[in-house]
């Protein structure tokens, strides 16, 4: 049995024999939104695993009596899908390869930077989420992400055109490339196409191509054979084969490396996959839907995306408008989100005050539909009565700025913070809301960018 999907506060079991390190990591992880659980030494860590079933295990390698590798082995026996991160002060290339081949998610050398560790933990939490969803447990553990039957919500002209295009291409087996800013509902449209297609009775599987390192992504996509590397004790079916006769959704396809792009092109051209370590191909009958928030034609010019793969993916193009361009859909979406949230809590749906709806209609929603849903869930929880007032919304939604951050007439004495904030927002907008890519363009770590956005109220 797999442990529950990581929530917004994934549970991390930290195993180390030094109490000072345990306390430092506890403070760091708690500050960054994780739920840390301490184990003093490897033996205590192993004892806690069966009952605790953590989302992530973070363990030192060298400890008295019970080593981190033993903790890794036990953790994977208890739950084969739990990501285990090993820490060591005496790293070598050979030991790192051995640890990864034995099933470690990552191998990090002490001393490490805090932001480096947090970035690895966030990738591990996303990996955990993907593994659980692909085991078919998403309806039980993440019901709000499950697309219900019927048309996706919206009556605006731009959204209606998207739905008409989806309904036209659904009965075909054509590959569809869905583009749009982060949070616009690309997976919602992909599921809608699947449900309307002749493959609707078969599997719909999905993966975020930017959430996993290249080697792990290829194993997930194509599978591997027994003995192909140390720790490969049995054959593993890749997601392309697992989605046979169904639909496979490749989210954030623009994040893939050139090497992976070559292998994806082969699947689309030949309709077959070669598992890692195999010599023979396996035929697959899987419809491919892909999505990205990047401009792939610009990526082709930069040399980071293959033109031949783009043309294979872009047989049918569906572009999703940002929420600010379909503001008339906000009341319908809000009503649906509040009803769904109330159902999950076993309550009656709350109503929005006029001032609340006015504030929502005036806000630009840079995070699009996803941001709207999260804001309403928060507002519903913070509202004691039956009505959601404007002050229950996040401050960024209700704030009225007298001056735009970037305007033709600059403030007389703009602060450095205002300038930095304006520049970050400009880069983020140019990168289509992709925070990882924006962080690269800014020359900072993603975790640093998240902290700045949270401080500014833009996160």
């Amino acid at each position: 049995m797999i442990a529950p999907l990581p929530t917004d506060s994934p549970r991390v079991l930290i195993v180390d024999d030094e109490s000072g390190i345990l306390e430092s990591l506890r403070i760091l992880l708690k500050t960054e939104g994780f739920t840390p659980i301490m184990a003093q030494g490897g033996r205590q860590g192993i004892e806690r695993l069966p009952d605790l079933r953590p989302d992530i295990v973070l363990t030192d390698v060298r400890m008295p009596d019970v080593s981190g590798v033993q903790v890794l082995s036990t953790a994977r026996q208890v739950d084969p899908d739990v990501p285990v991160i090993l820490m060591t002060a005496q790293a070598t290339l050979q030991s790192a390869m051995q640890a990864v081949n034995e099933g470690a998610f990552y191998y990090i050398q002490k001393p490490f930077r805090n932001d480096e560790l947090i970035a690895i933990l966030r990738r591990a939490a996303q990996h955990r989420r993907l593994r659980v969803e692909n085991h078919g447990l998403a309806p039980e553990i993440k019901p709000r992400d499950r697309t219900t039957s019927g048309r996706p919500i919206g009556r605006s002209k731009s959204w209606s055109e998207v739905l008409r295009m989806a309904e036209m291409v659904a009965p075909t087996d054509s590959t569809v490339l869905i583009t749009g800013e982060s949070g616009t509902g690309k997976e919602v449209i992909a599921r809608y196409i699947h449900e309307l297609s002749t493959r609707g009775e078969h599997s719909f599987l999905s993966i975020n191509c930017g959430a996993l390192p290249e080697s792990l992504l290829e194993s997930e996509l194509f599978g591997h054979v027994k003995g192909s590397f140390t720790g490969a004790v049995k054959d593993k079916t890749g997601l392309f084969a697992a989605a046979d006769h169904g639909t496979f959704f490749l989210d954030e396809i623009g994040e893939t490396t050139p090497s992976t792009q070559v292998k994806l092109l082969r699947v689309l051209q030949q309709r077959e996959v070669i598992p890692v370590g195999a010599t023979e191909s396996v035929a697959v009958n899987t419809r491919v839907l892909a999505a990205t928030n990047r401009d792939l034609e610009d990526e082709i010019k930069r040399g980071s995306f293959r033109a031949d793969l783009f043309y294979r993916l872009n047989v049918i193009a569906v572009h999703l408008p940002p929420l600010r361009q379909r503001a008339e859909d906000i009341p319908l979406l809000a009503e649906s989100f509040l009803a769904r949230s109330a159902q999950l809590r076993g309550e009656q749906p709350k109503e929005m005050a006029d001032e609340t709806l006015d504030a929502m209609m005036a806000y630009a929603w840079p995070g699009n539909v996803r941001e709207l849903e999260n804001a309403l869930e928060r507002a519903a929880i913070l509202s004691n009565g039956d009505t959601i007032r404007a002050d229950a919304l996040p401050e960024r939604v209700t704030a009225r700025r007298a001056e735009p951050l970037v305007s033709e007439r600059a403030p007389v004495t703009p602060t450095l913070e205002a300038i930095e904030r304006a520049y970050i927002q400009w880069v983020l907008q140019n990168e289509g809301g992709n925070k990882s890519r924006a962080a690269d363009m800014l020359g900072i770590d993603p975790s640093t960018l998240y902290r700045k956005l949270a401080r500014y109220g833009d996160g």
Side-chain angles (χ1 to χ4, degrees):
M1 177 180 177
I2 302 175
L5 180 74
T7 62
D8 290 337
S9 182
R11 293 169 301 139
V12 182
L13 176 62
I14 307 174
V15 186
D16 203 300
D17 59 315
E18 297 185 29
S19 56
I21 293 177
L22 284 174
E23 180 61 17
S24 297
L25 290 173
R26 184 191 69 80
I27 295 171
L28 171 64
L29 267 62
K30 187 173 182 180
T31 301
E32 295 292 337
F34 295 88
T35 299
I37 302 161
M38 308 295 103
Q40 184 85 39
R43 189 175 304 281
Q44 187 179 111
I46 286 177
E47 290 173 352
R48 302 202 69 178
L49 278 168
D51 294 331
L52 179 61
R53 291 184 174 271
D55 300 315
I56 305 169
V57 176
L58 176 63
T59 178
D60 191 21
V61 173
R62 296 201 170 193
M63 295 180 289
D65 299 330
V66 177
S67 71
V69 175
Q70 290 172 284
V71 174
L72 164 64
S73 176
T74 303
R76 291 184 61 80
Q77 289 175 18
V78 172
D79 180 356
D81 292 309
V82 63
V84 180
I85 300 167
L86 299 180
M87 306 178 290
T88 182
Q90 300 177 357
T92 65
L93 178 60
Q94 182 179 3
S95 62
M97 291 298 295
Q98 179 185 4
V100 172
N101 286 337
E102 289 179 0
F105 178 79
Y106 209 91
Y107 189 84
I108 186 171
Q109 184 175 3
K110 297 178 179 178
F112 43 76
R113 302 193 315 273
N114 289 348
D115 56 357
E116 178 185 10
L117 177 62
I118 294 303
I120 293 168
L121 285 167
R122 286 178 176 150
R123 289 203 300 271
Q126 178 66 15
H127 166 69
R128 173 67 173 172
R129 178 174 289 108
L130 291 169
R131 294 294 296 169
V132 173
E133 289 180 351
N134 288 329
H135 273 279
L137 298 183
E140 174 186 341
I141 55 186
K142 199 177 180 184
R144 72 175 185 176
D145 283 351
R146 182 180 181 183
T147 304
T148 57
S149 302
R151 268 185 144 213
I153 296 169
R155 297 176 185 169
S156 63
K157 180 180 179 181
S158 58
W159 187 247
S160 296
E161 289 174 353
V162 167
L163 297 183
R164 280 195 295 271
M165 175 64 78
E167 290 157 2
M168 288 177 62
V169 304
T172 73
D173 268 346
S174 297
T175 304
V176 180
L177 179 62
I178 306 170
T179 60
E181 296 178 7
S182 294
T184 49
K186 293 186 285 292
E187 184 166 353
V188 170
I189 292 299
R191 287 184 180 273
Y192 185 52
I193 291 172
H194 169 71
E195 290 170 0
L196 294 179
S197 73
T198 57
R199 300 173 180 265
E201 297 300 319
H202 297 280
S203 298
F204 176 94
L205 298 182
S206 66
I207 192 169
N208 186 319
C209 298
L212 303 176
E214 180 180 4
S215 58
L216 183 57
L217 176 62
E218 292 187 0
S219 178
E220 290 293 301
L221 292 174
F222 312 118
H224 65 248
V225 298
K226 178 181 178 181
S228 58
F229 53 83
T230 303
V233 296
K234 62 180 180 179
D235 291 352
K236 169 185 168 59
T237 301
L239 293 176
F240 271 109
D244 198 39
H245 291 90
T247 303
F248 189 22
F249 176 56
L250 297 166
D251 198 8
E252 301 304 343
I253 189 74
E255 304 289 339
T256 52
T257 64
S259 173
T260 302
Q261 290 171 26
V262 171
K263 296 174 183 178
L264 288 173
L265 181 62
R266 177 184 177 86
V267 176
L268 293 173
Q269 289 178 330
Q270 307 296 332
R271 296 294 174 181
E272 61 185 25
V273 298
I274 301 179
V276 177
T279 56
E280 296 184 0
S281 60
V282 177
V284 292
N285 177 13
T286 305
R287 184 181 191 178
V288 175
L289 307 178
T292 181
N293 59 21
R294 294 190 182 190
D295 186 330
L296 293 186
E297 294 185 89
D298 281 349
E299 298 299 319
I300 291 171
K301 294 174 183 176
R302 295 177 184 175
S304 59
F305 200 84
R306 295 181 62 96
D308 47 4
L309 177 58
F310 171 73
Y311 295 124
R312 281 285 178 180
L313 292 169
N314 198 40
V315 177
I316 304 291
V318 178
H319 181 72
L320 274 56
L323 188 56
R324 61 183 175 273
Q325 293 179 6
R326 47 180 291 222
E328 59 265 47
D329 290 336
I330 289 176
L332 294 174
L333 290 165
E335 183 180 350
S336 174
F337 293 151
L338 289 174
R340 187 186 308 174
S341 177
Q343 184 179 20
L344 291 175
R345 297 194 308 273
E347 302 173 354
Q348 289 296 316
K350 297 182 179 182
E351 296 183 354
M352 292 179 293
D354 290 343
E355 60 179 7
T356 306
L357 185 57
D358 289 343
M360 291 166 54
M361 295 294 287
Y363 182 57
W365 298 107
N368 294 295
V369 179
R370 185 183 298 126
E371 183 185 8
L372 173 65
E373 181 177 9
N374 291 341
L376 283 169
E377 181 177 350
R378 172 188 185 274
I381 292 172
L382 296 180
S383 299
N384 294 325
D386 297 331
T387 302
I388 297 176
R389 304 193 64 81
D391 56 10
L393 293 170
E395 185 178 354
R396 64 180 181 275
V397 178
T398 56
R400 294 289 186 269
R401 298 182 177 89
E403 290 284 347
L405 291 172
V406 179
S407 64
E408 295 181 0
R409 182 177 62 84
V412 177
T413 55
T415 64
L416 288 176
E417 183 175 293
I419 294 171
E420 180 187 57
R421 180 183 181 187
Y423 182 59
I424 288 175
Q425 288 185 332
W426 179 79
V427 171
L428 194 59
Q429 183 176 359
N430 276 4
E431 296 302 327
N434 186 314
K435 294 177 182 176
S436 296
R437 186 164 179 80
D440 289 340
M441 296 297 293
L442 291 164
I444 60 178
D445 293 314
S447 58
T448 302
L449 176 59
Y450 284 118
R451 286 197 296 271
K452 288 181 180 293
L453 291 173
R455 186 173 73 245
Y456 297 147
D458 299 328

